[in-house]
Amino acid sequence: MTTRSMNTVVILSDEHNRDVLGCYGDPVAQTPHLDRLAAQGTVFRTAYCNSPVCVPSRASFMTGRYPHQIGAWDSTSPFDGRQGGWAAQLRDLGHQVVSIGKLHFRSSADDNGFSDEIAPMHVHNGTGWMSSLLRSPPPPIAGAEQLAGQIGPGETGYTRYDRDITQKACDWLRNAARTKSDKPWVLYVGLVAPHFPLIAPQRFFDLYRDAEIPPPRQYAEAERPRHPVLDALRASSNYDDSFDPDSLRIARQAYYGLVSFLDHNIGQILGALSDSGLTDNTRVIYSSDHGDNLGHRGLWGKSVIYDDAVAVPLIVSGPDVPSGQRVDTPVSLVDMHPTLLEFAGRASDPDLPGSPLSRWFEAPNQDRAVFSEYHDWSSVTGMFMLRTAQWKIIRYPGYPDQLFDMQNDPHETINLAEDPAFFPVLQDMRARLDTVADVDQVNARAFADQQMKIDACGGVDAILAGEEQAYTPAPSQA
């Protein structure tokens, strides 16, 4: 497909489980605006982040490179502009590239590549969450019980911040309609919902008062998958023991409410785009930095390579984007860099691992491989994923692999890695993963880099003594 250059609006949410979205098949989720965007455009049904945690995922999103290629291991290694990226490349070519809202980079004092950063949210104190470095072994997360204690209807700094972001994005679009430019612009909008705390504005919480929200999968203790790396993660990030049946229902209801709140805000932005008369010359991309486990397998938050955490929604719409199309070819957030360059009429670095998403508009069922990795808190070793059209392998250096048939077992309930009948598939997937990364070498490098930071901070005890909250406060709360 040949794409003409035009404006792009990129909307990135935080922690949106792909399955909680009407256009991805959830009969309960009330997401009319995103569903309409999907009906008008193309839905990528097999899309992934490149690390299931905010900071490394966003660094990959910006640079088009995998975390291990840029040393973005964990929550203490935020993007700081030195790695380049699509924003700087487009800005330096004369395009207006504006961000509004959550970025989760190091600081606005860095040159992050944008022409302007409006109401940015960056990592706390410019350093991020230092406890994410502690993996040998990981200590219990302080305040894990707060997840179950901060649920239900109400307002938070995040919901107020999202309203402010939405208003500023709408205002910017209305002003853009009155501004003449000979080059297409890019507007990035970073919304926080549905990131925890699981507190949704009353109006959106009440949408699901009588809804039959399905319970978490493999939630009973006997149903949960057993693996030494996952067992260590549960022991360190023991959120689930704080939930009972009532709070479990409230938490999931609030998450659905936050997704509808997100959808409402996106609807306002799309409405402003339409009212400004820019729709015929603007493409829209929606995605999220990672997913959320939502209690499945007794896990909450992100930080694993199961699809609940590592898969993301991805919708592309615009005047020349195929309408109502569903793409099964695997894609990932590193594809955003070449996509945004192409949409602006520019060429991307051929050495980048990604490809423009337009390539798959006319090839929606290709057997492509995509990659993700994790080196952050509660992981006793690195986690490395390769996903093809049918298979997913997860490698844990020093521990057993996992292999899933994603076509016949989309919820990853049966690990085939120890089944002799699937040994040829396992070997093939290992070989394909080896072409992307030497997992043992990358794993060792991640631990070595993190140990240097631990030593520079004065050791493990010094980090624990200075423990801060695990998530970044909204700018109004900082």
Side-chain angles (χ1 to χ4, degrees):
M1 173 182 174
T2 302
T3 58
R4 64 184 177 94
S5 60
M6 65 177 71
N7 308 319
T8 305
V9 175
V10 185
I11 303 173
L12 193 74
S13 64
D14 197 315
E15 211 153 313
H16 188 179
N17 183 304
R18 179 187 62 191
D19 293 341
V20 184
L21 194 51
C23 58
Y24 279 87
D26 191 324
V28 177
Q30 297 187 40
T31 51
H33 301 292
L34 284 169
D35 294 348
R36 188 177 307 114
L37 187 72
Q40 295 168 347
T42 292
V43 174
F44 290 83
R45 298 197 292 191
T46 313
Y48 288 85
C49 67
N50 301 105
S51 186
V53 67
C54 293
V55 171
S57 178
R58 289 166 181 269
S60 281
F61 164 76
M62 285 301 297
T63 63
R65 300 188 185 278
Y66 298 132
H68 72 269
Q69 293 179 313
I70 54 176
W73 306 116
D74 52 56
S75 299
T76 72
S77 52
F79 177 77
D80 61 11
R82 289 180 295 176
Q83 308 93 335
W86 55 262
Q89 191 169 344
L90 286 172
R91 182 202 60 190
D92 293 347
L93 289 168
H95 299 266
Q96 188 178 24
V97 187
V98 174
S99 77
I100 302 176
K102 181 173 182 177
L103 289 166
H104 228 206
F105 301 161
R106 185 173 69 174
S107 169
S108 290
D110 296 321
D111 180 5
N112 295 315
F114 294 103
S115 311
D116 192 13
E117 290 182 16
I118 300 171
M121 173 179 171
H122 293 299
V123 298
H124 193 46
N125 293 329
T127 58
W129 188 37
M130 300 306 292
S131 291
S132 68
L133 298 168
L134 308 180
R135 304 168 56 208
S136 302
I141 298 298
E145 71 284 351
Q146 291 179 4
L147 182 65
Q150 297 177 343
I151 59 175
E155 297 288 342
T156 67
Y158 282 173
T159 56
R160 290 186 287 271
Y161 180 48
D162 270 1
R163 286 193 177 91
D164 185 49
I165 294 166
T166 300
Q167 184 60 56
K168 285 179 166 56
C170 292
D171 292 343
W172 191 93
L173 287 167
R174 294 186 181 102
N175 289 330
R178 298 190 292 269
T179 304
K180 302 299 181 183
S181 175
D182 60 348
K183 293 183 176 68
W185 46 257
V186 177
L187 174 65
Y188 162 87
V189 182
L191 295 167
V192 183
H195 192 285
F196 60 84
L198 299 177
I199 298 173
Q202 186 78 56
R203 167 187 167 189
F204 299 97
F205 184 81
D206 288 346
L207 288 175
Y208 300 95
R209 179 180 298 170
D210 301 317
E212 294 185 10
I213 297 173
R217 298 183 302 275
Q218 297 172 270
Y219 188 70
E221 184 70 33
E223 299 172 341
R224 298 178 184 180
R226 304 312 303 244
H227 188 282
V229 176
L230 298 179
D231 290 345
L233 185 142
R234 283 198 192 91
S236 174
S237 306
N238 188 9
Y239 297 111
D240 194 63
D241 278 1
S242 300
F243 285 93
D244 58 29
D246 289 338
S247 60
L248 180 68
R249 159 71 198 198
I250 293 170
R252 286 174 59 81
Q253 179 179 345
Y255 185 87
Y256 271 74
L258 284 168
V259 170
S260 289
F261 173 66
L262 165 72
D263 181 80
H264 169 77
N265 290 329
I266 291 174
Q268 290 185 283
I269 295 168
L270 297 178
L273 179 68
S274 177
D275 293 344
S276 300
L278 297 168
T279 305
D280 291 340
N281 194 38
T282 305
R283 299 186 187 94
V284 178
I285 302 174
Y286 170 70
S287 192
S288 191
D289 61 351
H290 50 74
D292 192 302
N293 287 297
L294 289 178
H296 300 303
R297 307 173 190 85
L299 298 169
W300 295 85
K302 45 272 187 180
S303 308
V304 293
I305 305 291
Y306 289 114
D307 265 23
D308 292 298
V310 78
V312 293
L314 179 56
I315 303 168
V316 182
S317 184
D320 57 354
V321 176
S323 177
Q325 177 162 262
R326 301 293 182 265
V327 173
D328 289 320
T329 302
V331 298
S332 77
L333 291 184
V334 294
D335 295 320
M336 296 294 288
H337 186 292
T339 297
L340 291 169
L341 268 290
E342 181 190 68
F343 281 5
R346 303 292 184 171
S348 185
D349 184 347
D351 293 332
L352 292 175
S355 298
L357 293 172
S358 63
R359 176 178 297 184
W360 316 115
F361 291 162
E362 296 176 355
N365 295 291
Q366 301 301 301
D367 188 17
R368 184 187 187 220
V370 294
F371 171 83
S372 189
E373 60 187 303
Y374 181 78
H375 310 275
D376 208 290
W377 53 278
S378 297
S379 58
V380 295
T381 192
M383 307 179 192
F384 299 85
M385 176 201 86
L386 196 76
R387 169 69 205 269
T388 65
Q390 180 169 3
W391 305 102
K392 176 197 280 191
I393 186 174
I394 308 173
R395 300 209 67 184
Y396 306 91
Y399 298 88
D401 298 341
Q402 291 180 310
L403 177 69
F404 299 103
D405 181 343
M406 301 301 291
Q407 290 184 355
N408 297 304
D409 180 27
H411 295 312
E412 302 161 277
T413 61
I414 304 171
N415 177 20
L416 302 172
E418 297 180 0
D419 187 333
F422 292 91
F423 186 70
V425 175
L426 182 64
Q427 288 292 86
D428 177 65
M429 291 296 288
R430 284 174 173 168
R432 294 182 70 171
L433 178 54
D434 286 343
T435 66
V436 179
D438 180 334
V439 300
D440 292 317
Q441 186 272 337
V442 169
N443 190 51
R445 186 157 57 94
F447 274 107
D449 287 356
Q450 289 167 334
Q451 187 60 52
M452 289 177 62
K453 286 187 178 180
I454 293 170
D455 293 343
C457 290
V460 173
D461 290 342
I463 290 175
L464 291 175
E467 181 65 86
E468 74 279 15
Q469 66 187 60
Y471 61 90
T472 306
S476 61
Q477 297 176 294

